Amino acid sequence: MRVLVVEDERRMAAALQRGLQAEGFAVDLAHDGEEGLHLARHGDYDVVVLDIMLPRLSGYNVCKQLRAEDNWVPILMLSAKDGEYDMADGLDLGADDYLTKPFSYVVLVARLRALLRRDAGRRPAVLTAGDLSLDPARRKVHRGETPVELTPREFALLEYLMRRRDEVVSKAEILEHVWDTFDTDPNVVEVYVGYLRRKLDGPFGRNSLQTVRGAGYRLAGDGG
């Protein structure tokens, strides 16, 4: 899933980016409020991690502006302010969660995944397509009762396709959300789809990962 981190402390921002990428997230960084607001407006993000004390525009104002524009991307606020009124201010302005610094990285990841699950229609705790299941929190994939081992990149690709099951997804969309770039050779998507087919379809006589010529890929909602 694609995350925007808005944090002016560059070392912390870089550490968050590395850690979240290791968990399979695609991560963009912004180091001031104006840049963060611009990216949040125009980027297709699944969740925003937003510091409060930012140069040029505070996290409070970024959140307030997004909500005023009916942009309801989930927002988790980070702050060194740990007062109950500070937390209440953030939540009242439209933030979905609030975490004080210093924080546990394990808790941060768990809260991000909880935000991604809140829309139960699109973000169930366990994703399914027929007998194919993926548990984002436990990092587990099964075909029926059989566990399937995937690399972090394979897991991220499968998670994205399962969240968009039965939809045709272009290579460009996959690169943006899974590889966090448009610059990578698009053929890498075809290579990784091939890896998934060899692990999820071939051994089970299925055809869940379908190529739509000239358009992209579709994961069959019935699991193939």
Side-chain angles (χ1 to χ4, degrees), residues 131-191:
D131 67 346
L132 179 63
S133 65
L134 180 148
D135 185 333
R138 297 173 60 212
R139 314 294 289 176
K140 300 289 186 182
V141 174
H142 286 80
R143 172 66 89 172
E145 297 298 319
T146 305
V148 181
E149 295 294 327
L150 299 181
T151 67
R153 186 74 72 185
E154 290 167 353
F155 188 95
L157 174 57
L158 179 62
E159 180 177 0
Y160 183 62
L161 291 173
M162 290 188 73
R163 291 193 187 278
R164 301 280 303 273
R165 60 188 179 277
D166 283 329
E167 298 180 28
V168 177
V169 184
S170 70
K171 287 183 179 180
E173 289 177 285
I174 292 172
L175 286 174
E176 180 181 5
H177 283 265
V178 179
W179 270 265
D180 197 21
T181 180
F182 291 107
D183 297 330
T184 302
D185 185 345
N187 289 329
V188 73
V189 176
E190 184 176 344
V191 171

Side-chain angles (χ1 to χ4, degrees), residues 76-94:
L76 186 150
M77 279 190 165
L78 293 179
S79 178
K81 294 182 167 186
D82 59 359
E84 59 184 19
Y85 290 105
D86 298 308
M87 184 179 300
D89 286 343
L91 297 174
D92 285 345
L93 286 170

Side-chain angles (χ1 to χ4, degrees), residues 13-190:
L16 284 171
Q17 184 178 44
R18 289 193 300 271
L20 291 173
Q21 286 175 338
E23 293 289 334
F25 293 96
V27 183
D28 289 343
L29 297 180
H31 298 296
D32 64 67
E34 287 188 0
E35 181 187 13
L37 178 60
H38 174 76
L39 290 175
R41 279 171 168 164
H42 302 290
D44 183 16
Y45 294 102
D46 298 288
V47 66
V48 175
V49 177
L50 179 64
D51 189 28
I52 291 177
M53 303 299 289
L54 294 167
R56 305 181 72 181
L57 193 67
S58 75
Y60 287 139
N61 285 327
V62 171
C63 182
K64 182 178 180 180
Q65 188 62 41
L66 288 172
R67 297 316 189 221
E69 297 169 2
D70 286 331
N71 184 326
W72 297 102
V73 61
I75 294 174
L76 186 150
M77 279 190 165
L78 293 179
S79 178
K81 294 182 167 186
D82 59 359
E84 59 184 19
Y85 290 105
D86 298 308
M87 184 179 300
D89 286 343
L91 297 174
D92 285 345
L93 286 170
D96 298 276
D97 203 352
Y98 189 107
L99 196 58
T100 57
K101 301 176 184 178
F103 53 83
S104 160
Y105 181 73
V106 173
V107 171
L108 171 65
V109 172
R111 289 193 176 189
L112 289 178
R113 293 199 179 280
L115 288 178
L116 291 169
R117 292 196 301 267
R118 280 192 181 173
D119 179 358
R122 291 199 59 189
R123 302 192 183 282
V126 176
L127 305 175
T128 59
D131 67 346
L132 179 63
S133 65
L134 180 148
D135 185 333
R138 297 173 60 212
R139 314 294 289 176
K140 300 289 186 182
V141 174
H142 286 80
R143 172 66 89 172
E145 297 298 319
T146 305
V148 181
E149 295 294 327
L150 299 181
T151 67
R153 186 74 72 185
E154 290 167 353
F155 188 95
L157 174 57
L158 179 62
E159 180 177 0
Y160 183 62
L161 291 173
M162 290 188 73
R163 291 193 187 278
R164 301 280 303 273
R165 60 188 179 277
D166 283 329
E167 298 180 28
V168 177
V169 184
S170 70
K171 287 183 179 180
E173 289 177 285
I174 292 172
L175 286 174
E176 180 181 5
H177 283 265
V178 179
W179 270 265
D180 197 21
T181 180
F182 291 107
D183 297 330
T184 302
D185 185 345
N187 289 329
V188 73
V189 176
E190 184 176 344

